[in-house]
Amino acid sequence: IGTYNIYKILSKYKIITAFHKFYDLEAYQLMYNDKYGLDPNYFMVSTGISDKDFNKLKSILDNIDVKFICIDVANGYMEKLVDFCKKVREHFPDKIIIAGNVVTREITEELILQGKVDIVKVGIGPGSACLTRSQTGVGMPQLSAIAECADAAHGVNGFIIGDGGITCPGDVSKGLGAGGDFIMIGGQFAGHDENPGQLVEKDGEKYKLFYGMSSETAMNKHFGKMDNYRSSEGRSVKIKYKGPLEKTVENFLGGIRSTCTYINAAEIKNIPKCCTFVRVNR
């Protein structure tokens, strides 16, 4: 879902695409010179935190107009992440830096205050292609994580982006209501014409394959192997074919507009002030 073909659709709606980490400078140059081009307001360059990652990031930013940098690791509690964020901030003082993933107040504040990050990415385990919770026992319910981290971030003039757990348009509104400044959508934007991968048919139903970036599929495809000291924390999922992405995007945007109507929020930033949450025991 973090691809150029997805960007072409999402940018029409002023939605930001977080490009996957495996695009190099040559790939960005091809996009930049394509007739559709790249608008820096609507894409993020994603990176890991190794020296090799930093050199690749630098080569891209030295040649392409970029506004958003997404420093993306599964475990945002490594000291190395904070150090890497500081290094990126020193080299690119005018860029908007997003970093994560985390789920607690203290690390949110540390990334903003020490790491000089603008937007903290919140979510461990809630993604539809994520196995972190079942494999490791680590994670937090996503609504609680957003509420906790948003409160911490806003107290130190930062922002958060909720990453994972979106199953329908209403979940986006709930994430915004809990204080999320941005919401990231993965699996819900998979399975469309614009997504890579072959259509497969089984029992008369059409599917596309979607895989998490910590899955064995991703490791084999992008790194050539799955290290045997670790287990897969993502999975490959067959997703029902959904047709054109525009229909799904418009459905999500329509849902958020209706939320605003129901709760009398004049704009998205007012949603947290106009809603309250009720705990439901099923």
Side-chain angles (χ1 to χ4, degrees), residues 3 8 12 36 57 74 85 104 114 137 165 181 184 266:
T3 67
K8 288 179 188 177
K12 289 182 193 173
Y36 199 88
L57 178 68
C85 291
T104 48
Q114 302 298 324
D181 303 289
M184 191 169 258

Side-chain angles (χ1 to χ4, degrees), residues 14 19 24 45 58 85 102 114 128 139-140 150 182 202 244:
K14 300 186 177 179
F19 285 134
D24 57 12
V45 173
K58 198 166 179 311
C85 291
V102 304
Q114 302 298 324
S128 59
M140 185 187 282
F182 304 86
K202 190 178 180 187

Side-chain angles (χ1 to χ4, degrees), residues 99-128:
N101 279 27
V102 304
V103 289
T104 48
R105 167 181 298 274
E106 295 80 7
I107 190 67
T108 298
E109 291 173 350
E110 186 174 349
L111 282 167
I112 294 165
L113 296 172
Q114 302 298 324
K116 309 298 181 190
V117 164
D118 299 291
I119 305 167
V120 174
K121 196 145 73 80
V122 173
I124 292 180
S128 59

Side-chain angles (χ1 to χ4, degrees), residues 103 123-128 130-133 138-140 163:
V103 289
I124 292 180
S128 59
C130 184
L131 293 172
T132 298
R133 290 183 189 169
V138 173
M140 185 187 282
D163 176 17

Side-chain angles (χ1 to χ4, degrees), residues 157-205:
N157 297 318
F159 301 91
I160 69 150
I161 178 166
D163 176 17
I166 301 301
T167 66
C168 57
D171 287 340
V172 176
S173 298
K174 290 173 188 174
L176 295 167
D181 303 289
F182 304 86
I183 301 294
M184 191 169 258
I185 298 174
Q188 291 297 307
F189 283 175
H192 297 85
D193 293 328
E194 294 81 4
N195 298 109
Q198 288 295 109
L199 264 179
V200 293
E201 198 164 325
K202 190 178 180 187
D203 302 328
E205 288 274 15

Side-chain angles (χ1 to χ4, degrees), residues 2-207:
T3 67
Y4 185 51
N5 284 334
I6 297 294
Y7 160 84
K8 288 179 188 177
I9 302 298
L10 296 186
S11 59
K12 289 182 193 173
Y13 296 91
K14 300 186 177 179
I15 296 171
I16 300 167
T17 299
F19 285 134
H20 63 65
K21 295 177 193 171
F22 306 103
Y23 281 143
D24 57 12
L25 173 59
E26 187 180 355
Y28 277 102
Q29 285 174 326
L30 287 171
M31 294 183 231
Y32 197 72
N33 293 319
D34 181 69
K35 64 179 182 183
Y36 199 88
L38 279 177
D39 184 332
N41 290 304
Y42 302 123
F43 74 90
M44 300 178 193
V45 173
S46 300
T47 178
I49 58 172
S50 70
D51 290 342
K52 187 179 173 185
D53 289 325
F54 182 78
N55 291 334
K56 186 168 98 168
L57 178 68
K58 198 166 179 311
S59 75
I60 294 165
L61 269 71
D62 285 348
N63 291 279
I64 301 291
D65 186 12
V66 173
K67 184 174 181 178
F68 297 99
I69 300 169
C70 183
I71 303 169
D72 179 38
V73 292
N75 171 17
Y77 290 81
M78 296 180 286
E79 196 174 341
K80 192 178 174 187
L81 173 64
V82 178
D83 293 340
F84 189 86
C85 291
K86 281 186 200 167
K87 184 176 171 182
V88 173
R89 172 58 72 211
E90 283 167 17
H91 278 79
F92 307 109
D94 60 333
K95 304 302 179 191
I96 296 172
I97 299 176
I98 301 101
N101 279 27
V102 304
V103 289
T104 48
R105 167 181 298 274
E106 295 80 7
I107 190 67
T108 298
E109 291 173 350
E110 186 174 349
L111 282 167
I112 294 165
L113 296 172
Q114 302 298 324
K116 309 298 181 190
V117 164
D118 299 291
I119 305 167
V120 174
K121 196 145 73 80
V122 173
I124 292 180
S128 59
C130 184
L131 293 172
T132 298
R133 290 183 189 169
S134 58
Q135 282 294 97
T136 69
V138 173
M140 185 187 282
Q142 184 66 353
L143 191 76
S144 301
I146 287 175
E148 173 104 348
C149 296
D151 185 55
H154 298 159
V156 289
N157 297 318
F159 301 91
I160 69 150
I161 178 166
D163 176 17
I166 301 301
T167 66
C168 57
D171 287 340
V172 176
S173 298
K174 290 173 188 174
L176 295 167
D181 303 289
F182 304 86
I183 301 294
M184 191 169 258
I185 298 174
Q188 291 297 307
F189 283 175
H192 297 85
D193 293 328
E194 294 81 4
N195 298 109
Q198 288 295 109
L199 264 179
V200 293
E201 198 164 325
K202 190 178 180 187
D203 302 328
E205 288 274 15
K206 290 181 178 173
Y207 298 89

